[in-house]
């Protein structure tokens, strides 16, 4: 009996997408370095420098996982058939955050197809869980080579579809709008 292969984070990246020693230190240059790594494999990935930088800045401002020194900016790409990510590791902490946070040294640039499918949600959810796992992040920091980093990623299975958070209803749809009569609103004002 053949069991289906368990997908891991390693299935969404390649050795060419992993930079064990980033050569740059600014937000913009790190995003360019990761984008360049992704474009080497597939020239159809458009230059996402401005979108990547905006995504990283948004991530730095809003991420709850910053305490462990990793960020996970996400960029939507129209021509992408399936999600993937690049990983960059800095030898020295990158000077992006206030001193209250652990310095950033791991940057995961996630490229998502425009139509976010279940597979994309699984990948993003798995990476978000990784951002809360100090031990696994430290394994990535200790890995000496790209191959060792890929081996760590191969040990992290994708979040099961059944574990994905359910999305809230879109309240703009006519059948989901609350009734707004005078009596309805008065009830909530008490």
């Amino acid at each position: 009996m053949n069991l289906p292969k368990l997908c891991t984070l390693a299935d969404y990246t390649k050795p060419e997408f992993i930079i064990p020693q980033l050569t740059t230190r600014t937000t913009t240059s790190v995003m360019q370095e990761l984008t360049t790594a992704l474009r080497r494999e597939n020239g159809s990935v458009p230059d996402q420098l401005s979108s990547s930088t905006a995504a990283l800045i948004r991530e730095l401002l809003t991420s709850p996982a910053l305490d462990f020194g990793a960020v996970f900016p996400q960029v939507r790409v129209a021509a992408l058939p399936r999600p993937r990510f690049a990983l960059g590791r800095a030898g020295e902490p990158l000077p992006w955050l206030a001193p209250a946070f652990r310095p950033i040294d791991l940057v995961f640039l996630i490229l998502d197809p425009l139509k976010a499918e279940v597979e994309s949600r699984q990948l993003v959810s798995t990476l978000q869980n990784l951002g809360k796992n100090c031990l696994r992040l430290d394994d990535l920091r200790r890995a000496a080579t790209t191959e060792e980093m890929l081996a760590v990623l191969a040990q992290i299975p994708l979040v099961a579809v059944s574990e994905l958070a359910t999305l809230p209803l879109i309240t703009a749809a006519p059948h989901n709008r609350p009734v707004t009569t005078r009596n309805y609103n008065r009830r909530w004002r008490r």
Side-chain angles (χ1 to χ4, degrees), residues 26-161:
T26 67
T27 303
T28 305
S29 60
V30 166
M31 296 317 308
Q32 180 63 52
E33 201 170 341
L34 292 171
T35 301
T36 300
L38 287 163
R39 290 190 79 210
R40 270 188 230 126
E41 185 264 343
N42 185 351
S44 67
V45 175
D47 184 9
Q48 295 288 331
L49 178 58
S50 60
S51 296
S52 300
T53 302
L56 181 58
I57 291 168
R58 183 173 54 252
E59 182 71 19
L60 289 171
L61 294 174
T62 63
S63 177
L66 293 176
D67 290 341
F68 295 121
V71 291
F72 303 87
Q74 188 175 350
V75 179
R76 300 254 175 190
V77 180
L80 200 62
R82 71 184 291 230
R84 65 180 75 171
F85 69 92
L87 167 59
R89 181 178 64 188
E92 293 179 30
L94 300 168
W96 289 339
L97 293 175
F101 291 103
R102 179 178 175 151
I104 297 298
D105 60 351
L106 294 170
V107 180
F108 293 77
L109 175 58
I110 306 165
L111 295 185
D112 249 347
L114 267 184
K115 290 184 177 182
E117 301 292 332
V118 171
E119 184 180 31
S120 293
R121 291 180 49 216
Q122 284 180 283
L123 175 62
V124 170
S125 185
T126 304
L127 287 169
Q128 287 173 346
N129 289 344
L130 173 61
K132 300 171 192 168
N133 188 332
C134 191
L135 297 175
R136 285 287 186 196
L137 292 173
D138 285 345
D139 289 343
L140 286 170
R141 290 179 180 103
R142 282 189 296 272
T145 64
T146 299
E147 291 74 24
E148 287 180 16
M149 292 176 80
L150 196 58
V152 170
L153 295 171
Q155 296 172 14
I156 305 170
L158 236 55
V159 169
V161 173

